[in-house]
Structure formats: C-alpha cells, structure tokens
Amino acid sequence: MNNVAHDPLSESMIDAIAAELTASALPGETDDFDEKSVNRAARFVAEAAYVRPPGRAVLKIDSTTGRSGRRFMRLAVINDDMPFIVDSVTSTVTAHSLAVMRLLHPIVSVLRDEDHRAVELNSSADGALRESIVYLEIERADSRTRNELLVEIERVLADVRAAVGDWKDMTAQMEADAQSVEDEEGRALLTWFADHHFTQVGHYFEDRDGNRRSGLGIFRVPGPSCWSERIRAAAFEHFDEGGDEPLLTKADRIATVHRRVPLDLVIVPVRENGKVVELSIHAGLWTSAALNAPAHEIPVLRQRLEQMEKELGFDPKTHTGKALQHALSRLPHDILIAFGAHALKHTALTAMSLADRPRPKLLLVPGALGRHLFAFVWLPRDELSTGRRTTIGGMLETATSSLISSWSVELGDGELALIRYTLDLAEGATQPDAAALDMAIEQMVRGWAMEVESELGERVPSARAARLALTYAEAFPEGYRTEYGPQEAAMDVLRFRNLTEQQRGSRLYRHDGDREGRLRLKLYRLGASIPLSDAVPVLENFGFRVLEEQPTALGGGRLGYIHDFLLEVEGDADPDGLLERARIKEGAISAVLEGKAENDAFNQLIIAVGLDPRDVTLLRAWFRYLRQTGLAYSLSTVVETLREEPEISRAIIALFDALHDPAFDGDREAATKAANESIDGGLINVAAIDDDTILRAIRSVVQATLRTNAFAPAASEALAFKLQSDAIPNLPAPVPWREIWVYSPRVEGIHLRGGPVARGGLRWSDRRDDFR
C-alpha cells in the first residue's frame, strides 16, 4: 500500500491497518471481531500511530463499548520493532490484575516524513523502519489505574529499549568476565550464558560501599537496588572466603523485560592485587532453551552430576544413573545450579525417590547468601488446586514469617505435580520445622478422612464414627484442614450431628497459645450462615469483645456453616474458669441466637457472675416487673449492680429456691434465714445508695412471691409469680390485694386483683413500657 495521505483518519490508512491487524492474528484472537469492530480498532490504532518521533514509543488508551454493550479498555502501543515488547507489555497489564481479552501484533514497515508522520505503510523505500503495533483489549479499570498502567508501560518499554540497545556490550562484558574466572566449569558457564542461554537486561559494577558504575541496559539510570546492604556484604564475603565463581542468586528486583519474575544475578569478582574490590553483576533471565536443557549439557551442573554419580556409584547408562539425570533435568536449573553440593544431592535423591514411589513431599533448601528459601512441594496431580497451592503458601509464610516472592507449577507427565515457592527471608527470619510442615501437607492430602474418622472413633462407637466421617470429613475445605486439624474437625462434627435447622450450636474453647483474657467460640448452623449483625450483638451482651471471625462452609454450605470467633473477655473473668462449665454457657448463647432467650445485658451475669441461664431469666423477670412499678433505674444500671455484687446476686437466687422450690432438700426455714443474712451482710458493704435500692427491691419481689410456676414444666413457656402487693415497697397507689406477673421473651403482663374474689385476666395494652 503506497502513498497514504497524511490524514490519520483517511479510509485508506484505516483499511490498511485493519488488514494488518487481522492478517497477523493468532488463532482465537479474532473471535467475535466483526468488520465494524475491526474498523473501530484500526481507527484507534491509526490515531496512535500517525505521529511517532524516532526512538520513542507511543501509547494510547481509552474505554469503549463492544457490540454486546460490555465496556472494556483498548490499548495501542507503537514502537520500533525489537524483542520482548509483547511479553513485557502483557506482563505489565496482568501485573495490574487486568485480563487481556484480545492481542494483535502486526509488524509493519513505515516511512515517515520530517514531522514524523506516517507517509507510507509496508514501504520498501530507503528510510522506512520496521515498527511494532501492539493492540490489546483488556478489562476496564478506573482512570487512576489507567494512568498508572500507562506510566508503567512507558517505563517497561524504556527498559526493553535499553536492554536491547546494550545487548552486545553486555554480552562482551560477560565474555570478558569469563576469561577472569580460573575455574574451568565456572568459565564455561559464563561462556554458555553468553551464547544465547541468558537474556541479559542489565549490567553494572558495584563496590563494597554500594557505589555503582558503568551501568548498561536497565541500569543506565538509577533504579531499585538488586539487593540489600546485608546481602551485598555476604556476596563480598563469599568471594573473600574462596567461594565458587560465578555466584548465582536471585535479585530483590522483579524483571520488567520479557518475564515478570525475580531477576537472576550472575556475579563475578573484580580483583586488584589479589583483593576483591568490585563485583561485576549481570542481571537477566535464563532463556527457555537453557531452562529446558538436559542437566549434563549445563556447565557446573554437569560437573556436580558427575560428582554425584561417582559418590553414589551410579553408572550413567543404568536405570539409577538415568533416573538421577532425569530428576536433575526436571528441576528448575536457575535455582538448582546455585545449591551447594549437599543440598543438590538431597534434592536430586528426593526427586528420584518420588519418581519411584509417588507421594506428597515437602523439601526446603536455603538459597545462596541466606537471602531466599526455596520450597519444593510435590503433590498428586489430582490433588493440585489453586486453593491448595495458596493454603500451602500460607503455611510457609506463617512458618518463616516471610513472604513468597514467586511461585511456579510444573505438571510434567508423571503422577506428581511440583509447586516451587521462593520466599524472601528477612534478617533473623524463623527457620521452619520442615518435618512438621511435611507431615501437615501429607495429612492434608492423604490422611484427612482417615484421621477424622480416627478422632471420631475416640468419642463415639466405630460404626457411628465411620458414618459421620463419610458424611462430613471431605466437606471441610483445605483452609480449615490446615488451620484446625482432624481433632478439631471431629469435635465440630459431633456438634453438627444432632443439630436441627432451627437450632444454633455453640462451643467455647481455647488454644494453648492464646493470649491471656482471650477465648474462642464456634457457632454452628445448618442451611445458612449466621449474619455477623445477628451474632456480634449477642456476644457483646454476654460480655465479650469480638476481635475476629473466621467462617467455614461445609460442602460449600450444603452441610452447614461454622463461625469461629476470637473473643476478649471483659472485666476480671478468667477464660479458663469459664470453660469449666462451658456447656451451660454454650446453651445460653445458643438459646439467645435461636430467640428462646432475650438478647440483653443480663446475659453478662452468666459469664461475669457464673449464674445459670435460669437464674438470669429470673432476675430479668423480676427487673421487668419492677420496671412496671416505677423503678427508675435502667436495665444497664441494674445489671451493673448485680455484676458488682455477685455474692448478693447468688444469695437472692438461693433465697428464691429456699422459699419456693418444691424439691428443696433440707431445712427450708434455716436456708431462708441464711440467705437473708447473706443478703443483709452484703448490703452493709454496699456504698452506693442506688445499688442498695436496686438489690433491696429485687429481694422484696422474691419475698412477696406467694406461688410460682418457676419449677414446673410450664416455666419453659412463660414464668408466672403470684405476688402479695402490699409486701413490695413503693408500689403506686392504689395497691392491689394480689397480682400475678407473667413474663416470657414473647409476652409480659400483670393480672391485678382487688380482693379474694376477682374477675378478668391478662389484657392487651398498647403501652409496652407501662401496662400496669
């Protein structure tokens, strides 16, 4: 196509770009890309590509709407044709968590005029340059993310240009460094790298103080350091002590060119008068060919392979020798080559063992200079999932107090998949217990159902344990299995087994490592989860402070939900002491969640004072009665008084039992006297007049009670108290002869009687706070 007009929107230019976009498309990239969509994309690219100064990349991004009405972003990148553009740009896009939905990448020959405007496409004229057009359709993002993406891509393209521009100089420097290495294998490795087995993106020299010079590629301008001061000092120490040359390690800096992974560093010492004064540092990535090369073709690695064969007595031509070579060839060369002899041998033999007897396995190997920890995890292929990978990664991060900087998965053609994690170790990082982690992973993969059944068998008959394990064991998700283990799962299953749709189960417990004053509570429900807005107020009314909650869906919610709360106990209550009568407290919490008991501050008395739920219900009923008589104190004030005077609170309950419990065993008169004396003795020490008034008022209700159904089965529906009204101080006039107070969570009422013969009964009142 020749003589395209200077107007970027001319139909001829748009048609030409449209043809180039589709002609070079890979399979699948033009799906749902009709003629109208192609022309719109071509017009967008034409606007971006029309003017481009030499040596510069032009970027254009906007949001648009497709045929289906779905909005997305489109991105055009126009640049000189050079390696690594497409993969560097797409890696940057995906690093911003944006999915690439379409990728087109034609290479065109463009002739531009003195104003850098496109004059001719597919030109054969002198001065025409090959230019790269990258057209992407990606997920939509907000304006801030779009701006950040453009800035990042511009920086990445500058890195690509610098790396490609200085490639020959960096290769020449690596070849020169090879000649300075005395060890034959080390020299061969550098020569091998320089021969298209290592994608160099930068080089510089660094002295012991961290000063850089002669930066090439991405190090032309100052940027993030490749390591910390501690690691730099360790690198100099490595060479001072006669360590292997070159030194291979991973950088702290992520590659922006080609693949977005930690940079590989190839380090060679620079000596003056026999003393190491500088480090020649090559940064880049192993090529795909190098990573896939057989171990016996890679310098240094092949030497160590030969040494292992001799040490182990393996003939390279026999099964064991070939198995060793195969094991080393399957493992990541860029990591393996930096291992010491002992670590390499242990890693290779572990891989060989797994080839002969596939099984779950974890192997931890420290990296060079103590900067990284490499974790190799083998799992049965069918057991590999994103959830399992992230769960194991979380276990490693917790065990080392470090973060995973990169990971990869190798499936291969065997029975096992290999997950490789790289952890960045901080100074003084915890060295994990590899055996314990290995056991946890094996249990996670293989022994879960069996372990759960075994734990259940310790608590219920074996036949019942087998049925429960069959129903529940595999329903626990991976995160739960790692966090809690089979013993905890068995205890949770037993709480579920007799639960109905209407019930809410609960269990109080503690971990050995929990801080003082903290307690844990699990809530159980079938059918649906328990909303936090329902659970948190209930727990707060019991006197707990909710710190965190971890929900678990069994079988995706099909079998029920577990909500695990971390609680802080208010006041001086002892969490260990609370667990002594945990079943009572658990029942009280469940009753409130089910609506069988009221959700108010009286529930604090179960935790803080140690009262039974029945006792709290009695105190709540008496308070509700007194409120109808004109008691001026609020519920929170009354509860606080009862909390502050636990002995008096218990004595009031004891007085009620001595007076009215038909099953009371003992001297009722003596017990009544003892309870009153205990109350009177306690009141002497009550300093606040309000507290004294509240406590005396509650006792007066108990003493005025003539009959009650509190000890009859009907009490489960509603409590009833027949009261002698004139025995209760401060009742508003006219004072009835008798009254019957009825209380339940659903209804309250008073039947007032003026004499021995009376008519009527409980009547409805619209005045919910005053129906006397």
Side-chain angles (χ1 to χ4, degrees), residues 239-255:
F239 293 117
D240 291 340
E241 295 179 353
D244 293 338
E245 301 178 20
L247 171 64
L248 276 66
T249 187
K250 295 287 184 179
D252 291 346
R253 183 168 171 175
I254 299 295

mmCIF file of all heavy atoms in Angstrom, residues 239-255:
data_model
loop_
_atom_site.group_PDB
_atom_site.id
_atom_site.type_symbol
_atom_site.label_atom_id
_atom_site.label_comp_id
_atom_site.label_asym_id
_atom_site.label_seq_id
_atom_site.Cartn_x
_atom_site.Cartn_y
_atom_site.Cartn_z
ATOM 1 N N PHE A 239 33.192 -14.372 48.154
ATOM 2 C CA PHE A 239 34.408 -14.419 47.344
ATOM 3 C C PHE A 239 35.662 -14.287 48.197
ATOM 4 O O PHE A 239 36.697 -14.894 47.889
ATOM 5 C CB PHE A 239 34.367 -13.330 46.277
ATOM 6 C CG PHE A 239 33.298 -13.544 45.238
ATOM 7 C CD1 PHE A 239 32.266 -12.631 45.087
ATOM 8 C CD2 PHE A 239 33.316 -14.670 44.432
ATOM 9 C CE1 PHE A 239 31.282 -12.832 44.130
ATOM 10 C CE2 PHE A 239 32.333 -14.883 43.473
ATOM 11 C CZ PHE A 239 31.302 -13.965 43.325
ATOM 12 N N ASP A 240 35.587 -13.512 49.277
ATOM 13 C CA ASP A 240 36.743 -13.384 50.169
ATOM 14 C C ASP A 240 37.147 -14.730 50.744
ATOM 15 O O ASP A 240 38.333 -14.981 51.001
ATOM 16 C CB ASP A 240 36.422 -12.410 51.313
ATOM 17 C CG ASP A 240 36.291 -10.965 50.835
ATOM 18 O OD1 ASP A 240 36.801 -10.659 49.741
ATOM 19 O OD2 ASP A 240 35.668 -10.154 51.553
ATOM 20 N N GLU A 241 36.161 -15.590 50.956
ATOM 21 C CA GLU A 241 36.426 -16.899 51.555
ATOM 22 C C GLU A 241 36.655 -17.984 50.507
ATOM 23 O O GLU A 241 36.658 -19.177 50.813
ATOM 24 C CB GLU A 241 35.266 -17.291 52.462
ATOM 25 C CG GLU A 241 35.108 -16.364 53.672
ATOM 26 C CD GLU A 241 33.934 -16.741 54.548
ATOM 27 O OE1 GLU A 241 33.162 -17.649 54.130
ATOM 28 O OE2 GLU A 241 33.778 -16.157 55.632
ATOM 29 N N GLY A 242 36.826 -17.563 49.250
ATOM 30 C CA GLY A 242 37.152 -18.527 48.199
ATOM 31 C C GLY A 242 35.961 -19.263 47.643
ATOM 32 O O GLY A 242 36.101 -20.392 47.140
ATOM 33 N N GLY A 243 34.780 -18.667 47.680
ATOM 34 C CA GLY A 243 33.581 -19.312 47.158
ATOM 35 C C GLY A 243 33.607 -19.466 45.649
ATOM 36 O O GLY A 243 34.430 -18.857 44.943
ATOM 37 N N ASP A 244 32.674 -20.288 45.149
ATOM 38 C CA ASP A 244 32.626 -20.583 43.715
ATOM 39 C C ASP A 244 32.413 -19.317 42.891
ATOM 40 O O ASP A 244 31.724 -18.372 43.304
ATOM 41 C CB ASP A 244 31.483 -21.560 43.413
ATOM 42 C CG ASP A 244 31.737 -22.940 44.007
ATOM 43 O OD1 ASP A 244 32.913 -23.256 44.259
ATOM 44 O OD2 ASP A 244 30.747 -23.677 44.236
ATOM 45 N N GLU A 245 33.015 -19.304 41.703
ATOM 46 C CA GLU A 245 32.831 -18.237 40.729
ATOM 47 C C GLU A 245 32.277 -18.852 39.440
ATOM 48 O O GLU A 245 32.784 -19.882 38.999
ATOM 49 C CB GLU A 245 34.166 -17.538 40.434
ATOM 50 C CG GLU A 245 34.834 -16.915 41.646
ATOM 51 C CD GLU A 245 36.180 -16.276 41.297
ATOM 52 O OE1 GLU A 245 36.407 -15.989 40.093
ATOM 53 O OE2 GLU A 245 37.002 -16.094 42.211
ATOM 54 N N PRO A 246 31.257 -18.255 38.856
ATOM 55 C CA PRO A 246 30.497 -17.103 39.337
ATOM 56 C C PRO A 246 29.523 -17.504 40.445
ATOM 57 O O PRO A 246 29.221 -18.681 40.626
ATOM 58 C CB PRO A 246 29.733 -16.652 38.094
ATOM 59 C CG PRO A 246 29.495 -17.934 37.338
ATOM 60 C CD PRO A 246 30.739 -18.760 37.553
ATOM 61 N N LEU A 247 29.015 -16.481 41.150
ATOM 62 C CA LEU A 247 27.981 -16.683 42.169
ATOM 63 C C LEU A 247 26.633 -16.407 41.521
ATOM 64 O O LEU A 247 26.445 -15.359 40.891
ATOM 65 C CB LEU A 247 28.212 -15.731 43.346
ATOM 66 C CG LEU A 247 27.107 -15.651 44.399
ATOM 67 C CD1 LEU A 247 26.937 -16.981 45.111
ATOM 68 C CD2 LEU A 247 27.415 -14.537 45.414
ATOM 69 N N LEU A 248 25.714 -17.341 41.672
ATOM 70 C CA LEU A 248 24.372 -17.182 41.098
ATOM 71 C C LEU A 248 23.353 -17.047 42.217
ATOM 72 O O LEU A 248 23.353 -17.830 43.172
ATOM 73 C CB LEU A 248 24.007 -18.376 40.217
ATOM 74 C CG LEU A 248 24.506 -18.353 38.771
ATOM 75 C CD1 LEU A 248 26.020 -18.437 38.715
ATOM 76 C CD2 LEU A 248 23.884 -19.488 37.969
ATOM 77 N N THR A 249 22.487 -16.055 42.094
ATOM 78 C CA THR A 249 21.445 -15.851 43.098
ATOM 79 C C THR A 249 20.279 -15.101 42.460
ATOM 80 O O THR A 249 20.350 -14.678 41.297
ATOM 81 C CB THR A 249 21.987 -15.073 44.310
ATOM 82 O OG1 THR A 249 20.990 -15.039 45.342
ATOM 83 C CG2 THR A 249 22.367 -13.650 43.944
ATOM 84 N N LYS A 250 19.216 -14.946 43.229
ATOM 85 C CA LYS A 250 18.047 -14.198 42.775
ATOM 86 C C LYS A 250 18.098 -12.782 43.338
ATOM 87 O O LYS A 250 18.524 -12.564 44.474
ATOM 88 C CB LYS A 250 16.752 -14.868 43.237
ATOM 89 C CG LYS A 250 16.512 -16.252 42.641
ATOM 90 C CD LYS A 250 16.125 -16.170 41.186
ATOM 91 C CE LYS A 250 15.801 -17.544 40.626
ATOM 92 N NZ LYS A 250 15.402 -17.491 39.200
ATOM 93 N N ALA A 251 17.656 -11.820 42.531
ATOM 94 C CA ALA A 251 17.656 -10.425 42.954
ATOM 95 C C ALA A 251 16.395 -10.087 43.729
ATOM 96 O O ALA A 251 15.393 -10.810 43.677
ATOM 97 C CB ALA A 251 17.775 -9.512 41.740
ATOM 98 N N ASP A 252 16.433 -8.952 44.451
ATOM 99 C CA ASP A 252 15.237 -8.428 45.091
ATOM 100 C C ASP A 252 14.344 -7.714 44.084
ATOM 101 O O ASP A 252 13.203 -7.383 44.387
ATOM 102 C CB ASP A 252 15.616 -7.436 46.196
ATOM 103 C CG ASP A 252 16.269 -8.122 47.377
ATOM 104 O OD1 ASP A 252 16.191 -9.355 47.451
ATOM 105 O OD2 ASP A 252 16.875 -7.431 48.216
ATOM 106 N N ARG A 253 14.884 -7.449 42.906
ATOM 107 C CA ARG A 253 14.188 -6.648 41.888
ATOM 108 C C ARG A 253 13.488 -7.562 40.885
ATOM 109 O O ARG A 253 14.052 -8.537 40.416
ATOM 110 C CB ARG A 253 15.208 -5.750 41.184
ATOM 111 C CG ARG A 253 14.626 -4.809 40.151
ATOM 112 C CD ARG A 253 15.687 -3.791 39.759
ATOM 113 N NE ARG A 253 15.272 -2.979 38.623
ATOM 114 C CZ ARG A 253 15.965 -1.951 38.144
ATOM 115 N NH1 ARG A 253 17.112 -1.620 38.717
ATOM 116 N NH2 ARG A 253 15.537 -1.258 37.105
ATOM 117 N N ILE A 254 12.250 -7.236 40.545
ATOM 118 C CA ILE A 254 11.471 -8.004 39.588
ATOM 119 C C ILE A 254 11.812 -7.544 38.178
ATOM 120 O O ILE A 254 11.919 -6.344 37.908
ATOM 121 C CB ILE A 254 9.963 -7.835 39.850
ATOM 122 C CG1 ILE A 254 9.606 -8.338 41.249
ATOM 123 C CG2 ILE A 254 9.145 -8.571 38.802
ATOM 124 C CD1 ILE A 254 9.815 -9.814 41.446
ATOM 125 N N ALA A 255 11.980 -8.501 37.267
ATOM 126 C CA ALA A 255 12.273 -8.172 35.877
ATOM 127 C C ALA A 255 11.076 -7.480 35.232
ATOM 128 O O ALA A 255 9.929 -7.886 35.436
ATOM 129 C CB ALA A 255 12.626 -9.437 35.107
#
